[in-house]
Amino acid sequence: MLSAWNIDASQFNGDWSFADKAQFWLRYAALAPSAHNNQPWRCAIGEDYLDIYIDLRYTPRTGTLRQTLISIGAFIENFIQAAAAFGYEFVVTDIPMSVKREDRVARLQLVGSTDEPVAKHRLEAIMSRHTNRGLYKATQLAPSIITALDDLELEQRVIAISLQDSQSKERVAALVDKGVYIALSLPPLRRELSDFVFYQREGSCYGLQVESMVQDPPQAESGKQWTLKLMNAKAEAQFSRKKFASAPVLTVLCTETDSPAIWVSTGQSMQRIFLAAASYGLCHCVSAAPIEIPVLTPVLKSILETKLRPQVLYRIGEPVNSEFTIPSPRRKVDDLL
Ligand SMILES: Cc1cc2nc3c(=O)[nH]c(=O)nc-3n(C[C@H](O)[C@H](O)[C@H](O)COP(=O)(O)O)c2cc1C
């Protein structure tokens, strides 16, 4: 659960079997962000490769495959970066053109290794990256950080469009407001969300902690009850608007096409940016609603002045309240295999 965030890199032993090494890297992979923190990944370790599948036990019925595969892309990025930190190089192969929910999503193939010393800073970024759903300081990020994030090499065919001017941010924030309001007002969506919300005291190994969604939350019998009975759609939506309008930078990752492979690439690119941002002490917060609610996506495209397909929208910044950066629970590696 929360102990998943404490990984001691010095426990790694280069003499281990491939399977033992892969299980160690999977501990880092498991710290990837996912929609609803549902951790929709399942793995099978081969002779010198790792196969990744969707774990249907943790995939919401109404959630889109896009959200699931972006999350799996982030998981892949963490695995590749963790293995690289120990000197092992993997490449992604075999992403099918059309993934059904039961299919293998990707294979990560080991292609080489070196004796370089362990790159600890890369592992630290994986362990220090967290979502923070509070307000971010409105002051602009340092130009050197903006440049470093802009210069990151993303996966092929993924393009980042960032907005820093108040007018565009305000327009995107208004869409977030609408999207959150719609998502929380539709009973099936609210019920589905409620299956993934828990108070910390409930000790779930997946899902969203009420404490990471609202500061000083009112007490209810369970996270499910809080979501169904106490969460106020209008207030949440309006506060989300304020948080997106005041963040120093909003970014949308876009692509020309829309396919399972491109969703995985988007997730990898997103996670690469989040890890780089984390290494500067910055947090991030995704909002899926303007991407997934069909009437809102064309408006987002017109704000971005692009014909590309928006895939993921997030804000990045320095939290006003760093105590609200709360690590979220994770399933154990045994449960992923
Ligand atoms: C594809 C995707 C969509 C997400 N959508 C939302 C969202 O709409 N609202 C939100 O507050 N967080 C969203 N998140 C953030 C997750 O809830 C968060 O990653 C998860 O709870 C794990 O927490 P962590 O990022 O701190 O490890 C999303 C994350 C991903 C990868």
Side-chain angles (χ1 to χ4, degrees), residues 59-64 101 192 195:
T59 311
R61 286 169 301 281
T62 55
T64 64
R101 287 161 70 94
E192 184 131 287
D195 286 338

PDB file of all heavy atoms in Angstrom, residues 59-64 101 192 195:
ATOM      1  N   THR A  59     -10.558  -2.406 -13.980  1.00  0.00           N
ATOM      2  CA  THR A  59     -10.871  -1.463 -15.063  1.00  0.00           C
ATOM      3  C   THR A  59     -12.353  -1.129 -15.021  1.00  0.00           C
ATOM      4  O   THR A  59     -13.183  -2.035 -15.159  1.00  0.00           O
ATOM      5  CB  THR A  59     -10.503  -2.100 -16.424  1.00  0.00           C
ATOM      6  OG1 THR A  59      -9.184  -2.621 -16.300  1.00  0.00           O
ATOM      7  CG2 THR A  59     -10.516  -1.079 -17.526  1.00  0.00           C
ATOM      8  N   PRO A  60     -12.697   0.146 -14.823  1.00  0.00           N
ATOM      9  CA  PRO A  60     -14.121   0.484 -14.747  1.00  0.00           C
ATOM     10  C   PRO A  60     -14.839   0.098 -16.028  1.00  0.00           C
ATOM     11  O   PRO A  60     -14.256   0.175 -17.117  1.00  0.00           O
ATOM     12  CB  PRO A  60     -14.138   2.008 -14.580  1.00  0.00           C
ATOM     13  CG  PRO A  60     -12.756   2.424 -14.319  1.00  0.00           C
ATOM     14  CD  PRO A  60     -11.839   1.321 -14.749  1.00  0.00           C
ATOM     15  N   ARG A  61     -16.080  -0.275 -15.899  1.00  0.00           N
ATOM     16  CA  ARG A  61     -16.837  -0.710 -17.073  1.00  0.00           C
ATOM     17  C   ARG A  61     -17.067   0.442 -18.046  1.00  0.00           C
ATOM     18  O   ARG A  61     -16.998   0.280 -19.243  1.00  0.00           O
ATOM     19  CB  ARG A  61     -18.180  -1.310 -16.646  1.00  0.00           C
ATOM     20  CG  ARG A  61     -18.051  -2.690 -16.038  1.00  0.00           C
ATOM     21  CD  ARG A  61     -19.343  -3.129 -15.398  1.00  0.00           C
ATOM     22  NE  ARG A  61     -19.795  -2.220 -14.350  1.00  0.00           N
ATOM     23  CZ  ARG A  61     -19.304  -2.195 -13.119  1.00  0.00           C
ATOM     24  NH1 ARG A  61     -18.358  -3.038 -12.780  1.00  0.00           N
ATOM     25  NH2 ARG A  61     -19.744  -1.352 -12.217  1.00  0.00           N
ATOM     26  N   THR A  62     -17.340   1.646 -17.515  1.00  0.00           N
ATOM     27  CA  THR A  62     -17.623   2.752 -18.429  1.00  0.00           C
ATOM     28  C   THR A  62     -16.364   3.556 -18.785  1.00  0.00           C
ATOM     29  O   THR A  62     -16.413   4.424 -19.619  1.00  0.00           O
ATOM     30  CB  THR A  62     -18.656   3.729 -17.820  1.00  0.00           C
ATOM     31  OG1 THR A  62     -18.153   4.139 -16.565  1.00  0.00           O
ATOM     32  CG2 THR A  62     -20.010   3.091 -17.674  1.00  0.00           C
ATOM     33  N   GLY A  63     -15.252   3.283 -18.114  1.00  0.00           N
ATOM     34  CA  GLY A  63     -14.018   4.023 -18.399  1.00  0.00           C
ATOM     35  C   GLY A  63     -13.557   3.712 -19.817  1.00  0.00           C
ATOM     36  O   GLY A  63     -13.795   2.628 -20.341  1.00  0.00           O
ATOM     37  N   THR A  64     -12.902   4.685 -20.455  1.00  0.00           N
ATOM     38  CA  THR A  64     -12.519   4.447 -21.851  1.00  0.00           C
ATOM     39  C   THR A  64     -11.177   3.735 -21.917  1.00  0.00           C
ATOM     40  O   THR A  64     -10.358   3.813 -21.007  1.00  0.00           O
ATOM     41  CB  THR A  64     -12.397   5.770 -22.623  1.00  0.00           C
ATOM     42  OG1 THR A  64     -11.325   6.513 -22.044  1.00  0.00           O
ATOM     43  CG2 THR A  64     -13.680   6.570 -22.571  1.00  0.00           C
ATOM     44  N   ARG A 101     -10.118  -5.611 -24.739  1.00  0.00           N
ATOM     45  CA  ARG A 101      -9.803  -5.520 -23.325  1.00  0.00           C
ATOM     46  C   ARG A 101      -9.024  -6.735 -22.802  1.00  0.00           C
ATOM     47  O   ARG A 101      -8.326  -6.631 -21.815  1.00  0.00           O
ATOM     48  CB  ARG A 101     -11.084  -5.287 -22.516  1.00  0.00           C
ATOM     49  CG  ARG A 101     -11.601  -3.852 -22.709  1.00  0.00           C
ATOM     50  CD  ARG A 101     -13.043  -3.728 -22.331  1.00  0.00           C
ATOM     51  NE  ARG A 101     -13.275  -3.840 -20.923  1.00  0.00           N
ATOM     52  CZ  ARG A 101     -13.359  -2.823 -20.083  1.00  0.00           C
ATOM     53  NH1 ARG A 101     -13.206  -1.607 -20.532  1.00  0.00           N
ATOM     54  NH2 ARG A 101     -13.597  -3.017 -18.811  1.00  0.00           N
ATOM     55  N   GLU A 192     -19.882   4.821 -10.482  1.00  0.00           N
ATOM     56  CA  GLU A 192     -18.636   4.139 -10.848  1.00  0.00           C
ATOM     57  C   GLU A 192     -17.448   4.740 -10.080  1.00  0.00           C
ATOM     58  O   GLU A 192     -16.601   4.014  -9.562  1.00  0.00           O
ATOM     59  CB  GLU A 192     -18.407   4.285 -12.349  1.00  0.00           C
ATOM     60  CG  GLU A 192     -17.189   3.517 -12.772  1.00  0.00           C
ATOM     61  CD  GLU A 192     -17.471   2.661 -13.968  1.00  0.00           C
ATOM     62  OE1 GLU A 192     -18.159   1.638 -13.825  1.00  0.00           O
ATOM     63  OE2 GLU A 192     -17.020   3.044 -15.037  1.00  0.00           O
ATOM     64  N   ASP A 195     -16.949   3.544  -6.503  1.00  0.00           N
ATOM     65  CA  ASP A 195     -16.305   2.240  -6.261  1.00  0.00           C
ATOM     66  C   ASP A 195     -14.798   2.383  -6.074  1.00  0.00           C
ATOM     67  O   ASP A 195     -14.116   1.428  -5.715  1.00  0.00           O
ATOM     68  CB  ASP A 195     -16.534   1.298  -7.462  1.00  0.00           C
ATOM     69  CG  ASP A 195     -17.963   0.788  -7.503  1.00  0.00           C
ATOM     70  OD1 ASP A 195     -18.613   0.795  -6.443  1.00  0.00           O
ATOM     71  OD2 ASP A 195     -18.416   0.393  -8.597  1.00  0.00           O
TER      72      ASP A 195
END
